Amino acid sequence: MINFKEFTKVGIVGYGAYVPYFRLPTAVVAEKQGKDTAVVDSLCVRTKSVAEKDEDSLTMAVEASLQALAVAAVEPGKIGACFVGSESFPYAVKPIGTILAEILGIGNDYFCADLQFACKAGTAGMQIVAAMIESGMIDYGLAVGADKSQAKPNDALEFTASSAASAYILGNKKSEWLACLEGTLSYSSDTPDFWRRNGEHFPEHAGRFTGEPAYFRHVLSSSQNFLKATKTKPINYNWAVFHSPNKKFPEKAAKILGFTPEQLKYSLLVEEIGNPYSASSLVSLANVLDNSKTNEKIFLTSYGSGAGSDSFSFKTFPALLEKRRFKQKLSETVFLSKAIDYSEYLKKMEIL
Amino acid sequence: MKVAVLSGYQTKFGELWDKSLKDLLAEASWEALKESGLTAKELQAVFVGNMLSAVTAGQNHLGAMMAEILGINVPCTRIEAACASGGLAIAQACLAIGSGKYDNALVVGAEKMTDLSSEEISFALMGAACQEEREAGLSFPGLYALLAQEYFRKFEATEDDLAWVAVKNHYHASLNPKAQFPFEITLDQVKKSSLVASPLRLLDCSPVSDGAAAVVLSSESFAQKKKIKTPFIVASAQAADSLSLTERESLLELKATRLAAEKAFKEAALEKKDIDLAELHDCFTIAEVLALEDLGFYKKGEGTLAAKKNETKLGGKLPVNPSGGLKACGHPVGATGVKQIVEICLQLLGRAGKRQTKEAKVGLSHNVGGTGGTVVVHIIKI
């Protein structure tokens, strides 16, 4: 049971998003897999982002976090927590959170853990940091979602599994808030729609089972519970973000809940970058923050296989317009990309 | 022969994520029993039609599962004949009741297919074909595509001709709340759907489905004692042919359909023109075309006219697959043969709602295993 709590002390003070330079067109994947274009059309994903061979969830987390620090303009030593969510950690044992903290200069007095909950590990980190701030344990905390997502060659996931990272510094000083975090809750169940066994390089999934009983059950339940707990309706929000394994799922979830296509305008980067797993919802949120005005409400529900969803609402503050000038707009960098062919993709993903 | 159908029930067909095979067997059985007015303890036998439970659920011994579900100790028997498992279970129950061994029997057909990936289920279904066909890399769409190719060559038929069958069956399914795909499709959508095995496209093929159907059958005297007005199965005919397509005399017909139909019409002392509606085995659109010809409703080579001219659409001269057929109602393989009986009885009793065939008195069901290795035909009359 969750006791829903309206946060009064938590806001985003800095944010960043990093999407690697390379793109693999889904048409190339379709050709290699011998699938016709109907498959590509149904996903509505044109290209997916591909990290370079020497990039991984840590290097991308660093890039995103440095942006967040630049926006926040906060002394790194004041950050009291560093939680990194991923499903492609370079180590099975040895946290990258401490490496990230070291690079950022956070010091030694901080809470830290690497988190795994498939694609919602990043938002789970945000919940933990928010709770610590609200309780007064820390003044600032960093939550990151980062993935160099794995997909088995010739599998359906190969079309969309991509790379990116997004970082959020939360803090308790209202004067520094770009947006306040109004509240959060989650919906979880033991639903094995997608998994990767220890020692295996590629994940497996249960095909069509990943739809209705997995993604939709959790995204809709968490969202509906959140709307009920906050006594709000979709019309009360300016923008909505849903985890995007493709374009169809978030559009369908939004429609069922009562959100309009206009509210998803900035949260469907999936068409260009694919699904960067733990970074997906957080990258979309960053794009929304890059484009929203002040005093606008943002609804977000992430999804992680296995399974669960985290729902949040944010309200933007005037400082957003000033402070986001310290990071480059995501929409400017995302389209500065280079298409690669399949063999280059295999090399960069170290499959070849 | 005169075997009464005391009751019938079909579960929703589709991707039933939260229902196990046992759930489906239980739902269909208990609902059919409830409608029949019999208690489980009054049942004298149970026949279960199922093809793939060992593969899809790791479960054999379905007779004992039925005994467990119903809390009974009477004979419970699992029947398997690939996609004709349901129809054959009905036929075995008719034999048993007809022989006087039992006064009544529950027949339930069920299949749970969606827990496997498409590759796994395609492989499992090929258990209904022969080893050489498996080794040649064929799948069921491929096998029926070979029949379609031969048909096209001989009769200059086209993809459009087949597509009309899918359009018609989807129209029927749009009127059936139990159907897996209760919506219409257009000819254009069929023609633009992905090619699966030339010339068969995605929308020429029946889906992978979960579902169950059950009927309670009894002898005529038992039904009279219970004072229930029921439809009667007046013919139950079965024929076999080679497992493999390569051993068939002709690829332009399913001989077992022709033989079973001849026996069924003779047993019922009826003719083709007496049939008011039919539930035929449209695992692929070509299968419905061949069935119409092999059952004698259309001349060889003219089966494609049926759907194109709306003759087999509701309101036409011989409504075929008012349930939506395998294509649009769904095809949980062991359940289909039983579902066909349920649908026909609903039609004969005037309880088919928006998809009611007017003045239906006699129906025919046609259930095929594999590419025609087993065919079961029933004629039901009210």
Side-chain angles (χ1 to χ4, degrees), chain A residues 44 49 61 120 153 155 171 180 196 202 244 247 279 312:
Chain A
C44 300
S49 59
K120 82 164 189 80
D155 184 79
C180 64
R196 183 165 65 85
F202 298 115
S244 307
K247 194 177 175 216
F312 303 78

Side-chain angles (χ1 to χ4, degrees), chain B residues 36 41 54 66 82 97 101 113 139 171 180 186 230 298 382:
Chain B
S36 73
K41 296 278 182 257
M66 286 310 303
I97 290 170
K101 179 86 176 170
M113 301 174 79
S139 62
Y171 165 67
Q180 180 164 355
T186 64
T230 72
Y298 284 79
I382 195 161

Side-chain angles (χ1 to χ4, degrees), chain A residues 36 38-39 206 208-209 212-213, chain B residues 15 17 114-115 192-195:
Chain A
D36 72 30
V39 172
R208 287 182 57 82
F209 184 71
E212 210 191 286
Chain B
E15 287 171 319
W17 302 116
T114 60
D115 284 347
K192 288 196 170 126
S193 60
S194 303
L195 198 60

Side-chain angles (χ1 to χ4, degrees), chain A residues 262-285:
Chain A
E262 179 60 25
Q263 287 171 300
L264 294 186
K265 187 177 170 188
Y266 296 116
S267 49
L268 294 173
L269 281 177
V270 61
E271 287 181 279
E272 178 66 22
I273 71 171
N275 174 15
Y277 290 179
S278 302
S280 171
S281 319
L282 296 179
V283 168
S284 296
L285 177 61

Side-chain angles (χ1 to χ4, degrees), chain A residues 205-231:
Chain A
H205 58 91
R208 287 182 57 82
F209 184 71
T210 61
E212 210 191 286
Y215 178 94
F216 288 101
R217 178 187 165 194
H218 297 80
V219 166
L220 296 177
S221 298
S222 182
S223 300
Q224 283 159 351
N225 289 350
F226 188 89
L227 292 170
K228 194 170 162 198
T230 53
K231 296 188 182 50

Side-chain angles (χ1 to χ4, degrees), chain B residues 219-248:
Chain B
S219 62
E220 186 180 6
S221 54
F222 188 93
Q224 278 165 353
K225 263 193 238 132
K226 286 276 174 182
K227 295 194 184 20
I228 308 171
K229 176 174 159 65
T230 72
F232 284 91
I233 300 176
V234 297
S236 175
Q238 177 188 354
D241 202 343
S242 63
L243 186 58
S244 151
L245 273 188
T246 60
E247 297 297 325
R248 301 283 168 83

Side-chain angles (χ1 to χ4, degrees), chain A residues 85-345:
Chain A
S86 181
E87 40 185 302
S88 56
F89 289 112
Y91 297 100
V93 180
K94 160 77 189 102
I96 62 167
T98 52
I99 307 176
L100 174 63
E102 190 72 27
I103 292 169
L104 298 179
I106 288 176
N108 299 110
D109 299 317
Y110 61 99
F111 297 101
C112 183
D114 284 2
L115 303 174
Q116 190 284 114
F117 197 136
C119 297
K120 82 164 189 80
T123 55
M126 189 179 262
Q127 289 177 320
I128 295 169
V129 167
M132 288 184 163
I133 292 173
E134 185 74 14
S135 70
M137 291 161 74
I138 56 175
D139 294 330
Y140 298 94
L142 170 66
V144 183
D147 261 305
K148 187 174 180 178
S149 312
Q150 316 91 330
K152 195 189 263 189
N154 215 38
D155 184 79
L157 289 171
E158 201 180 19
F159 286 93
T160 51
S162 66
S163 306
S166 188
Y168 288 79
I169 300 176
L170 306 184
N172 59 10
K173 289 185 180 48
K174 198 168 173 179
S175 59
E176 295 174 351
W177 291 349
L178 320 176
C180 64
L181 167 46
E182 296 181 313
T184 182
L185 57 67
S186 298
Y187 181 89
S188 315
S189 80
D190 177 20
T191 299
D193 57 309
F194 167 109
W195 62 92
R196 183 165 65 85
R197 289 299 303 247
N198 221 357
E200 291 295 318
H201 190 64
F202 298 115
E204 294 179 67
H205 58 91
R208 287 182 57 82
F209 184 71
T210 61
E212 210 191 286
Y215 178 94
F216 288 101
R217 178 187 165 194
H218 297 80
V219 166
L220 296 177
S221 298
S222 182
S223 300
Q224 283 159 351
N225 289 350
F226 188 89
L227 292 170
K228 194 170 162 198
T230 53
K231 296 188 182 50
T232 57
K233 293 190 171 73
I235 201 170
N236 300 132
Y237 297 89
N238 298 84
W239 309 109
V241 174
F242 296 96
H243 172 61
S244 307
N246 51 55
K247 194 177 175 216
K248 263 173 69 171
F249 276 22
E251 285 181 328
K252 185 175 169 184
K255 188 173 180 186
I256 293 170
L257 290 164
F259 289 93
T260 64
E262 179 60 25
Q263 287 171 300
L264 294 186
K265 187 177 170 188
Y266 296 116
S267 49
L268 294 173
L269 281 177
V270 61
E271 287 181 279
E272 178 66 22
I273 71 171
N275 174 15
Y277 290 179
S278 302
S280 171
S281 319
L282 296 179
V283 168
S284 296
L285 177 61
N287 199 42
V288 171
L289 289 171
D290 278 354
N291 290 282
S292 54
K293 301 190 183 64
T294 63
N295 209 34
E296 289 191 328
K297 275 171 74 92
I298 305 167
F299 181 91
L300 184 151
T301 295
S302 62
Y303 172 72
S305 288
S309 281
D310 303 330
S311 293
F312 303 78
S313 71
F314 304 89
K315 190 163 83 170
T316 58
F317 273 42
L320 174 65
L321 304 185
E322 169 65 26
K323 290 175 117 182
R324 71 186 180 196
R325 293 188 303 114
F326 292 96
K327 69 177 282 298
Q328 198 167 9
K329 260 186 116 166
L330 193 54
S331 53
E332 284 164 17
T333 57
V334 155
F335 296 97
L336 284 175
S337 59
K338 183 182 175 200
I340 55 174
D341 67 25
Y342 192 69
S343 61
E344 284 180 82
Y345 161 73

